[in-house]
Amino acid sequence: MKKLFIETYGCQMNVADSEVVASILSNEYEITEEERTADLVLINTCSVRDNAEQRIHKRLRELGAIKKRRPGMMIGLLGCMAERLKDQLLKDEPALDFVAGPDAYRSVPNLIEKALSGEDAYNVTLSKEETYDNIMPLRYAANGVSGFISIMRGCDNFCSYCVVPFTRGRERSRSPQTILAEAKQLLADGYKEVTLLGQNVNSYHYEKEGKVTTFADLMEMVALLSPQLRVRFATSHPKDISDELIHVIAKYPNICKFIHLPVQAGSTSMLQRMHRVYTREQYLERIATIKRVIPECSIATDIIAGFCGETEEEHQATLSLMREVGYASAYMFKYSVRDNTYAATHFPDDIPEELKTRRLEEIIALQQQLSLESNQQDVGKTFEVLVEGTSKRSDEQLFGRTSQNKVAIFPRGNHQKGEYVHVKILSCTAATLIGEVVGE
């Protein structure tokens, strides 16, 4: 068989998409881990931030040099960047043979044939129906313990800074039956954890013959498949996280006690410019409900520094909200303009780069402190940890994650990847819990 190398950038949804593409091509291609031996190289891209796109351009030039030494190699670009910059990419990147947007993966075999015959080969058409729900992903990128399942595609929120609705299209949800079938297959293959993925999983909504399935319903269905299957999800929008979902998370021990709830900014005025459709007070009310119903839940977030018009007062409001919530972790970025977004056409990118950098550094420094404080609260406690593999620092140490999505390191002993072990936390850093296995 021919060799296929896939390189994936961006979020977990892109990893899940790459596994779908690998499945589509599996009759003709088998996965290789070395691009220099590949007949086909696919780069699955992200357009959320400008620096991600710049890395892709650099990578395409590197692959172009390999292609010159390997006649017959083909290079394809997938995902959000392919959809957004199709014409520019085919013009500016001579090594590139074809591009396929996020809703066009079924057409990849045809695009390969077109490229081989010398035709223009691209398909970036967005769909209102495509969910790939009849394709069982090829889990080439998985660790055999944790797997991803895309439960929906697209986004209807149109936050003013975000390009996702333009690159991934409008929201549509998969049928719960196909999601459950995929989860059952993961169980049968020995997986111990599944993460349900969507741009905004809280708005999952599937209706057939008058019966509506909400995200809370779906979470309960997956949790009931097996008490040995951990269930996670990403990502949530604060406007849609319901009391029903919060109570379902609290009800089932195998639903992980971790919620990623992006806030983006801490002031209502900034949230309004971002079109986030909630206020600071409404966000904090959701946080308070989570902490009341699920006291052991850890909370993570996303934060943007230096969005259009950000005042020092608004920046300080973000810092104060971070302290009030006490996030366990966060993804933190400087704002970068994305074409086609509301912000790009209505707001000047008026925060100087050095000020963006300074504010981001303050956010990162505070989050380091909050992460350390959160982990220090776990010292002395015992957690169930799912073993994911060997620590990068020592073959004598294993690592895994708690239900709260915190990484724990502990002595190997006789334990193996995929086991559940109880670990007593003895010490910590801002990033890691350090402990020992107990109760053997």
Side-chain angles (χ1 to χ4, degrees), residues 172-230:
R172 61 272 190 201
S173 299
R174 286 178 60 183
S175 74
Q177 290 74 26
T178 62
I179 295 166
L180 290 172
E182 200 169 321
K184 288 176 182 176
Q185 186 61 56
L186 285 170
L187 261 173
D189 292 340
Y191 284 74
K192 297 295 182 67
E193 182 176 89
V194 62
T195 302
L196 307 183
L197 299 176
Q199 205 66 40
N200 175 20
V201 290
N202 302 137
S203 61
Y204 174 89
H205 179 97
Y206 188 84
E207 184 172 355
K208 186 175 182 180
E209 298 175 353
K211 178 177 173 52
V212 173
T213 303
T214 67
F215 184 57
D217 296 331
L218 181 66
M219 285 288 288
E220 188 165 40
M221 291 176 186
V222 178
L224 287 170
L225 289 177
S226 169
Q228 290 298 301
L229 180 68
R230 273 187 175 181

Side-chain angles (χ1 to χ4, degrees), residues 333-374:
F333 311 97
K334 287 188 287 188
Y335 170 67
S336 60
V337 181
R338 305 283 74 201
D339 294 341
N340 299 321
T341 61
Y342 185 91
T345 56
H346 290 76
F347 300 141
D349 181 19
D350 56 358
I351 307 302
E353 189 64 22
E354 61 271 19
L355 187 53
K356 286 184 183 179
T357 299
R358 190 264 289 171
R359 288 176 176 172
L360 178 61
E361 288 173 349
E362 291 180 3
I363 289 168
I364 292 172
L366 174 57
Q367 186 54 54
Q368 279 286 104
Q369 175 189 331
L370 295 175
S371 295
L372 178 59
E373 290 173 1
S374 175

Side-chain angles (χ1 to χ4, degrees), residues 47-64:
S47 272
V48 172
R49 286 169 291 278
D50 180 65
N51 62 350
E53 291 189 357
Q54 297 310 313
R55 290 204 313 272
I56 300 299
H57 284 292
K58 179 182 178 182
R59 185 65 174 129
L60 284 171
R61 289 189 286 273
E62 293 171 352
L63 291 169

